[in-house]
Amino acid sequence: MTLEEQRAKVEEILGSPLPELDPVYIEGAKVYERLSPNTFITPYLMSEVYTKEEMQFVSLLPATAPEVAEKLGLDADHVDAVLTEMELLGKIIASNVANPRIFSPHLNMVAFRDSIGTGRIAQGLDWMPYIKAYKLMDQWIRVSYSPQAAAATAGEMRVIPKWNSIKDLPGVMYCENMKEIMERNVRNGTIFTAQCVCRTYRSYIDLGRYDPDYCKDGMCEHGGEDGHCFSFNRQAEFFAKKINVYVPTMEEAMKRLDEAERSRAIYTTPNTRDTTYVCSCCTDCCAIQFYEDAGLKDVRKPSRFRPVWREDPCVGCGICVTRCNYDAIHLENGAVTIEEEKCKGCGNCVVTCPTKALKMKIVHQPDWVPEVPYVDGWSLHDELSNDDAENMERWGASGKKE
């Protein structure tokens, strides 16, 4: 996005002439400038998200509340109260176990957006008073990336295939089996479902209100009780301490899974065997979709599976073509071709093929999915291994060891 395009978007959202910015936002925006090339938008976005005092605090992070208070000559209890409220609303993140806790800015643009949205959902707050901020955020994350950025983000996330596309296939690992992942976590009480932040953003930005039926891929949600984003294990425990989560029964979890299976949504998870969350990403609102549209095609690593076409049962109906989000399937003269370099192995085409002419096969060895711990992007932990710390540094995060 050029400077002229950024200015035009800000003027469209905030009005022209543009409001005069307090210097605290111009200075504070530098904290987040590394996150987005759309730097003209950044200080205006900050002015819609933070009060002047909050922006001043953020400019000094990462730090503890006493450290911020000392630098500004303020009461430590007051600073701690403000920072804690900011964390509850998703404006910043904080360590879980450090005492005093370490507060920090967000790790990346999408974490910034999602955390703020989750904070509003968790507190049951109306989004409309902050609609200008959300519209600015929507433009802020729609960026053009350099080859260096593309290389740095490659393989950060991974596609999990639709369960019904691989359920009868030998060699499927636990971290690829959505039904087993959900069933195990329901039995262990380590799962919750949440209203999708991305779909909520899209509804408010496009309609000016939340419409639970506003999703072109059919992922309709009234709240966490029928949400299609799933958190497990450590992440579920972390969120349970902060928001009113919904813990589904086995019947409810399987219903959500069935709805996701029938939709065009793509299961997306961090690229590790340590499965802490899975998003059911649809094509009209997912932030990763924005990245892919902007040229970061490798952010979402393909699954280990690929569909294979069999001519005999195929009737040439073309359903598989309409189900593919990546324009990887083509039908010509009754023959189906699959472009392997485009295919993500999501299984959308396989689960709806009426004649079973498409079947999955394994095309990568198990080491395609790395055995690395997931670094929680929602909070900074002061008990980090060296590997975790290095991974966080890669994203521009700052961690402290007390």
Side-chain angles (χ1 to χ4, degrees), residues 88 96 118 122 189-194 231-247 376 378:
L88 287 173
N96 284 335
T118 299
T190 52
I191 180 178
F192 84 81
T193 55
S231 289
F232 311 109
N233 301 318
R234 289 177 289 106
Q235 179 142 323
E237 294 171 1
F238 170 73
F239 274 116
K241 297 175 182 177
K242 294 182 174 293
I243 63 178
N244 295 322
V245 301
Y246 188 81
V247 181
D376 192 342
W378 292 89

Side-chain angles (χ1 to χ4, degrees), residues 28 85 90-91 180 196 212 241 270 305 311 318 323 372:
E85 179 69 13
K91 296 181 178 183
E180 185 178 356
C196 178
K241 297 175 182 177
F305 307 85
E311 182 177 3
R323 288 278 292 182
V372 296

Side-chain angles (χ1 to χ4, degrees), residues 13 115 268 273 291:
I13 295 168
S115 185
T268 304
R273 299 187 193 185
Y291 284 173

Side-chain angles (χ1 to χ4, degrees), residues 114-138:
D114 287 0
S115 185
I116 290 175
T118 299
R120 303 298 294 182
I121 293 173
Q123 304 300 319
L125 300 175
D126 183 11
W127 286 42
M128 285 310 293
Y130 291 89
I131 192 63
K132 292 181 180 179
Y134 304 139
K135 289 182 176 180
L136 288 171
M137 188 85 69
D138 194 46

